[in-house]
Amino acid sequence: MTSPPTIQPKFLYNGNDLGVVAVGFSGGQCKAGVDAAPSALISSGLLTQLHDDLGYNIIHDNTVHSYSELMPKSDPDYRGMKRPLAVSAVTQQLSEQVYEHAKYGRCVLTLGGDHSIAIGTISGTAKAIRERLGREMAVIWVDAHCDINTPETSESGNIHGMPVAFLTGLAEEKRDDIFGWLKDNHKISVKKLVYIGIRDADRGEKKMLKEHGIKAFSMHDVDKYGDHWLLLIEVHADQD
Ligand SMILES: NC(=[NH2+])NCCC[C@H](N)C(=O)O
């Protein structure tokens, strides 16, 4: 059994409250399946353990959202993006849901879902952090993929490979119904972004990382630095 944390988080005034949003959505890529993950995690006891073992006060609407009411009748490709209207509508709503927890200084846990949902989770949190603390949020992206393709650099057209591009403003779109709802207060800076664990970056993505000086530790780096890699996270997270 694990023990509850004893250190009060510095930036989360209600860090013992865990706001949970379950996102049963897989439209950011072509295969069904990941939409079933939140239900599987919850029925295997995740939330019960977070409460019983780690002492979190769980705040959850007891719903796995499928956002079926937001699905458009037709959703043609746009600038090469697949299902742009559906992904934009779902992530816009999710951004609000996350914001509704984060504005109270709660820790927020989102259970997905494919990675397009990061457009909602990060934008909602970034907005709350700006309002509550008057500062920009830093992001440590631990993943095999950078997910920083723009619609133009993406070879697949899948939006799960593009969230970081929209969140940093490297990809932009004026249409409100296709991510134009993302305003400056939702966005993050490339200066406060670091990648850890990358092993599958596209050529266009590598170019983007280089051009914008985005820090990245590949799986190769993780293997190389071994035990010391947590120290590295510390150093880079502190550079704000
Ligand atoms: N979150 C993910 N699984 N991303 C995979 C992205 C794969 C590829 N880079 C693409 O843009 O299509």
Side-chain angles (χ1 to χ4, degrees), residues 182-198:
L182 280 166
K183 304 299 176 208
D184 285 349
N185 61 344
H186 289 118
K187 293 189 185 170
I188 55 166
S189 161
V190 288
K191 294 197 186 75
K192 298 188 82 169
L193 166 68
V194 59
Y195 286 109
I196 295 176
I198 300 302

Side-chain angles (χ1 to χ4, degrees), residues 115 143 145 147 149 154-156 158 160-161 200 202 205:
H115 228 163
D143 193 348
H145 305 105
D147 293 341
N149 271 307
S154 170
E155 288 170 20
S156 67
N158 291 329
H160 76 158
D200 185 16
D202 297 343
E205 293 183 306

